Amino acid sequence: MTTTIIAGLKLRLKGSLLQPGDEEYDTARKVYNGMIDKRPAFIARCANVGDVIEAVNFSRENGLLTAIRSGGHNGAGLGVCDDGLVIDLSGLRGIHIEPQARTVWVEAGNTLGDVDRATHAFGLAVPSGVFSTTGVGGITLGGGLGYLTRHFGLAIDNLLEANLILADGSFVKANARENADLFWAIRGGGGNFGVVVSFLFRLQPVSTVYAGPMLWELEAAEDALRWYSNFIRSAPDEVNGFFAFLTVPPVAPFPEHLHGKKMCGIVWCYSGDPEKADGFLHSIHSFRTPALDFVGPMPFPVFQSMFDALYPPGYSWYWKGDYVNELTDEAIALHLKYGAQLPTPLSTMHLYPIDGAASRIGNSDTAWNYRNATWAMVIAGIDSSPANDELITAWARSYWEALHPYSAGGSYINFMMEEGDDRIKATYGDNYPRLAAIKRKYDPENLFCVNQNIKPGPLPAETLLS
Ligand SMILES: Cc1cc2nc3c(=O)[nH]c(=O)nc-3n(C[C@H](O)[C@H](O)[C@H](O)COP(=O)(O)OP(=O)(O)OC[C@H]3O[C@@H](n4cnc5c(N)ncnc54)[C@H](O)[C@@H]3O)c2cc1C
């Protein structure tokens, strides 16, 4: 590629085009997972939608590998690539609320915290994840599960429309009426179909939640898992709680006698009528007295960012996941074994419920294919030091290998490393052929392949015959 072509792009961008050697290059290529160390040839730091079009055209015309980055949180590091071009959307931070209509337009570079802080003043929220630092782009396109999933569904269940730049550089809208096939595909199909520059979400009435962790000694883990498994499945939609194995951080406000202790727990979030919160609090205390109980009223954005400081960017992460229907006796026994062996203080296992509102949408209504599973499980080996990369990876893999036979099959794409085509096909199941056909229509050359990749499907029979 000639320097003239590169200089031409630099002139056309309102944002910047970074290359190796540029001052900001090393900061800009970093992603949240410290295990990922990729060196793109170009990073297009887009300042507006026009920049995104320029970047997509530049990539396609020059045959570059193309990665799309919103929040940079992807575990597998799919927001960056070696040698090619990164389309960095983190400069697109506009948020526009229509309180009367209860909708919000969110540009793709925002984090969940940006959105929460903008909507909270109106007593409204977009249902999505459990960390405020996660990027809206990747989490939404993968599905988006979190504290409000049982009450209001996944993030994609609250998505009304999106604006995209396709592989040919064109700008399109996708909603239930316009490009409805594309709208179906982006609700779970990840970044396969184009660069989403903005999302229109329906807002839900969430302001103060009754929320926080409740922890028990590991000796109670078997009973806690059994109680939780029954409790959550019969709980009303407005009650959410994810189960976890964890190590108590050695910091306030955790009591000193629990510092560094491996425990099990449930992180609750009640988003229903505050006047009925007493009933919720009473019900979650029907299991044995916890060793620690931090459940109480708090503003939703405060809760959503409660664990951010424990997991700053740059730590090593290796994670694996599966959807889970049942916690059988065998599965519980394996959880107890591996949960007691958390290899580092930050390593953890979470079971996120996906029943309630999320399960009342059909598997083929959106690309997200596991509506009938009860949980999305994630096993995350995490450490502040790269010296423990092998340790956390080996633990997460062996935990997952032991549990996988008791899982529902595929995995939530946002809880996957690069695990190959078979895992992606297992995840999309019967939706995969339809996704592959839509991929052929909107990205036939697979320009957007740095993702949990759906390969363009075969040409339709009519096309081959004509
Ligand atoms: C600490 C932490 C907590 C998390 N908690 C949750 C949680 O509660 N719930 C949950 O569901 N997930 C959670 N995740 C997983 C998260 O959803 C994924 O890591 C997701 O990929 C992050 O999105 P991002 O925009 O930050 O990532 P990026 O690394 O920027 O992007 C990831 C991939 O998404 C695609 N992509 C991103 N933006 C766009 C776009 N605008 N257009 C097209 N494609 C795009 C691209 O394929 C890209 O490769 C968590 C991750 C971390 C690290």
Side-chain angles (χ1 to χ4, degrees):
M1 193 185 305
T2 65
T3 48
T4 320
I5 292 176
I6 298 167
L9 178 63
K10 283 187 177 170
L11 280 175
R12 291 193 302 278
L13 292 181
K14 178 165 190 300
S16 52
L17 186 70
L18 301 177
Q19 292 177 264
D22 286 343
E23 201 182 326
E24 291 173 72
Y25 174 81
D26 276 324
T27 310
R29 73 185 179 85
K30 278 196 186 123
V31 289
Y32 181 83
N33 185 352
M35 261 199 215
I36 309 292
D37 181 24
K38 294 191 178 162
R39 303 187 66 83
F42 303 99
I43 302 172
R45 294 187 123 177
C46 299
N48 56 36
V49 176
D51 282 1
V52 179
I53 295 173
E54 293 289 356
V56 168
N57 288 338
F58 180 81
S59 240
R60 189 191 60 253
E61 285 162 8
N62 295 289
L64 295 172
L65 185 65
T66 309
I68 309 167
R69 175 198 173 117
S70 281
H73 255 224
N74 189 264
L78 297 173
V80 63
C81 60
D82 275 326
D83 304 326
L85 176 136
V86 173
I87 300 177
D88 182 348
L89 304 170
S90 58
L92 300 186
R93 294 301 252 263
I95 297 181
H96 179 80
I97 302 171
E98 288 292 346
Q100 298 301 329
R102 285 201 178 172
T103 59
V104 59
W105 270 109
V106 177
E107 284 197 307
N110 285 289
T111 63
L112 299 189
D114 295 332
V115 181
D116 289 336
R117 284 187 287 270
T119 60
H120 182 69
F122 298 91
L124 300 167
V126 173
S128 202
V130 305
F131 272 78
S132 86
T133 52
T134 309
V136 169
I139 194 172
T140 303
L141 296 169
L145 57 90
Y147 291 127
L148 304 176
T149 301
R150 295 190 80 247
H151 199 176
F152 297 114
L154 301 166
I156 50 171
D157 303 336
N158 294 275
L159 183 65
L160 299 171
E161 186 168 310
N163 290 326
L164 292 94
I165 308 304
L166 300 180
D168 64 3
S170 58
F171 172 96
V172 295
K173 275 189 182 303
N175 57 42
R177 297 163 310 283
E178 232 174 314
N179 299 308
D181 53 353
L182 184 59
F183 187 53
W184 177 87
I186 61 169
R187 284 177 290 161
N192 272 285
F193 305 94
V195 184
V196 177
V197 289
S198 51
F199 300 87
L200 178 66
F201 291 104
R202 182 188 303 119
L203 287 160
Q204 299 292 354
V206 177
S207 183
T208 296
V209 291
Y210 283 70
M214 233 182 203
L215 304 184
W216 294 270
E217 313 278 345
L218 273 189
E219 294 69 45
E222 179 173 357
D223 290 347
L225 266 170
R226 288 186 200 285
W227 175 83
Y228 165 74
S229 162
N230 291 327
F231 176 86
I232 200 73
R233 284 187 288 185
S234 55
D237 287 1
E238 56 269 28
V239 173
N240 208 301
F242 73 81
F243 188 92
F245 285 111
L246 50 86
T247 306
V248 178
V251 289
F254 295 98
E256 261 180 47
H257 71 281
L258 296 181
H259 284 183
K261 203 172 163 66
K262 290 187 175 81
M263 300 189 83
C264 69
I266 301 169
V267 181
W268 297 107
C269 179
Y270 168 80
S271 50
D273 180 352
E275 305 226 327
K276 296 185 182 154
D278 279 353
F280 157 72
L281 292 170
H282 181 73
S283 69
I284 63 171
H285 285 98
S286 63
F287 182 59
R288 73 181 65 160
T289 308
L292 176 146
D293 182 356
F294 278 168
V295 183
M298 66 186 97
F300 185 64
V302 172
F303 182 49
Q304 182 80 327
S305 50
M306 187 179 245
F307 302 110
D308 291 355
L310 291 176
Y311 294 95
Y315 286 4
S316 292
W317 285 63
Y318 185 89
W319 53 7
K320 283 186 79 81
D322 262 329
Y323 291 114
V324 177
N325 291 333
E326 288 289 329
L327 290 175
T328 61
D329 289 347
E330 294 85 350
I332 288 176
L334 290 164
H335 275 299
L336 299 178
K337 175 178 169 192
Y338 287 95
Q341 295 171 4
L342 299 172
T344 56
L346 291 172
S347 296
T348 188
M349 187 289 300
H350 294 172
L351 285 166
Y352 291 100
I354 45 176
D355 58 343
S359 67
R360 288 193 286 276
I361 291 172
N363 277 344
S364 60
D365 290 345
T366 66
W368 214 81
N369 184 47
Y370 272 87
R371 302 282 183 167
N372 41 354
T374 312
W375 293 280
M377 173 183 75
V378 64
I379 298 162
I382 308 165
D383 199 54
S384 58
S385 165
N388 286 325
D389 284 2
E390 273 182 34
L391 180 73
I392 59 174
T393 303
W395 170 79
R397 281 191 179 145
S398 48
Y399 195 159
W400 179 86
E401 274 159 23
L403 259 299
H404 184 61
Y406 305 98
S407 79
S411 170
Y412 176 38
I413 63 155
N414 279 342
F415 290 165
M416 281 166 75
M417 301 300 278
E418 291 189 85
E419 300 179 22
D421 284 350
D422 287 348
R423 284 286 278 162
I424 296 167
K425 285 181 179 158
T427 290
Y428 290 114
D430 292 345
N431 287 340
Y432 191 87
R434 187 170 167 192
L435 282 163
I438 297 169
K439 174 79 172 175
R440 169 159 294 284
K441 179 174 167 189
Y442 290 97
D443 182 17
E445 303 300 326
N446 205 3
L447 178 69
F448 304 117
C449 65
V450 183
N451 44 41
Q452 301 297 346
N453 196 230
I454 294 160
K455 306 279 182 303
L459 286 168
E462 313 88 86
T463 319
L464 291 173
L465 292 172
S466 63

